[in-house]
Amino acid sequence: MQILAIETAIHGVNDAQFAPLLQLEASKVWELYQEGVLRQFYYRQDRHDAIFILECSSLDMASKILATLPFVKAGLIAFDLIPLAPFPVFAELFTTKP
């Protein structure tokens, strides 16, 4: 299952709090990418928020994986998780109807 993870801001956190953990965060993201769990990662162009696409068996698994990120552990960020499914409209277009 693919899961879209959208970073959400934590009230009261400032940019300076991220600096000490930046290298650890990047290292963990790279590790998850190498494991095939974190498939894609982006920053929003309009805000400085991360967007991840994970390959996991469940939302619970995705939540546990994201909890291993140093920024999440430190309470600096959180994620909204959205389970993704195949686009159903194509099935309607290509299904033969009697």
Side-chain angles (χ1 to χ4, degrees):
M1 164 191 296
Q2 290 192 337
I3 297 166
L4 182 65
I6 302 173
E7 179 185 338
T8 59
I10 304 294
H11 183 69
V13 173
N14 64 59
D15 289 344
Q17 292 173 274
F18 289 90
L21 298 172
L22 189 56
Q23 190 167 0
L24 290 172
E25 181 78 3
S27 178
K28 186 62 178 180
V29 167
W30 176 248
E31 178 186 319
L32 293 172
Y33 176 75
Q34 291 298 308
E35 291 174 4
V37 175
L38 183 55
R39 305 294 239 151
Q40 298 176 46
F41 40 94
Y42 302 94
Y43 270 115
R44 287 182 57 156
Q45 191 170 11
D46 60 338
R47 297 194 317 229
H48 195 68
D49 293 339
I51 307 291
F52 295 153
I53 297 178
L54 296 97
E55 188 74 39
C56 298
S57 58
S58 66
L59 285 174
D60 186 53
M61 171 75 75
S63 182
K64 287 177 182 175
I65 289 167
L66 291 171
T68 68
L69 294 171
F71 289 170
V72 175
K73 283 183 181 180
L76 301 177
I77 62 172
F79 285 92
D80 285 332
L81 301 180
I82 303 167
L84 302 176
F87 193 63
V89 173
F90 290 127
E92 293 294 323
L93 289 173
F94 301 115
T95 300
T96 305
K97 299 191 182 196

